[in-house]
Amino acid sequence: DIVPLAAEDLATVQNDPAISPDAMIYPGACTFATMFHQEKEPFTDAKVREAFTLAIDRETWVTDVLSGLGSPTLTWIPPGYPGYNDSETNNACDPEAAVQALAESSYGSVEALPEITATFGDTPRNRLRWEWMVAKWKEVLGVEVALNPVEPTTFTALTKDIATAPQMFILG
C-alpha cells in the first residue's frame, strides 16, 4: 500500500521512529498549476496572465509550502520523467518582468484591475497554499486577491463547467 505524504505531515512522519524508515519520497506523476480563466476578466488579457505567472517563484513554493515534497517545473512534464525539457525558461519567476507585463496589459496598472478572486476547496492545506500565493502576488504586483473558500465538492463541480469555473484556481 502507498499513502501520499503531504507537506503538512512530513515532520510528523520524519520524527516518528516507527514509520520514518518506511517513508519513500520520490517524484510523483502529477503536475499542479494555477489556472487563469481566459474568458473572465482580467485574465482575458494575456499580459495579466503573464504577470501573475512571472510573480511566483516555484523553488520557494516547493520549499516553503510543500516542505520540499515536490519539484519545481516550468512544464507539464516534471523533472525525472521522459520528455522533460530542462532548458525550458518560459514563465520562470521574474518579479521585474511581472510588474512590466502588468503595466503593458490593457489595464495598465494595478488600480485599474477588476476584483480578482481565488476560489478553492476549503481545507486547511488549500487555505495555507492560497494564502501564500496571494501574499506573493501582493508582494510582487501589489494586487489584492480575495480568497473564496468553498466546500470541496462544490469546488470540484465548479471546475467541471467552463461557465462556472472560477476566475483562478489550482488543478493538477
Side-chain angles (χ1 to χ4, degrees), residues 126-142:
N126 284 340
R127 191 173 287 269
L128 171 75
R129 290 172 176 144
W130 276 105
E131 287 171 352
W132 185 92
M133 191 86 71
V134 300
K136 290 300 175 189
W137 286 321
K138 174 70 174 169
E139 175 186 322
V140 174
L141 299 172

Side-chain angles (χ1 to χ4, degrees), residues 39-109:
E39 294 181 5
K40 293 187 179 180
E41 298 291 339
F43 300 112
T44 54
D45 187 316
K47 284 293 184 178
V48 173
R49 297 190 305 270
E50 179 182 354
F52 275 71
T53 300
L54 294 172
I56 298 299
D57 182 349
R58 289 152 188 83
E59 292 276 348
T60 305
W61 168 268
V62 169
T63 302
D64 292 356
V65 179
L66 302 181
S67 300
L69 290 177
S71 299
T73 186
L74 297 172
T75 67
W76 283 109
I77 301 171
Y81 281 83
Y84 173 68
N85 180 359
D86 64 354
S87 66
E88 179 64 60
T89 59
N90 189 34
N91 296 320
C93 182
D94 186 337
E96 289 178 17
V99 170
Q100 182 65 32
L102 190 57
E104 292 171 0
S105 75
S106 59
Y107 297 94
S109 70

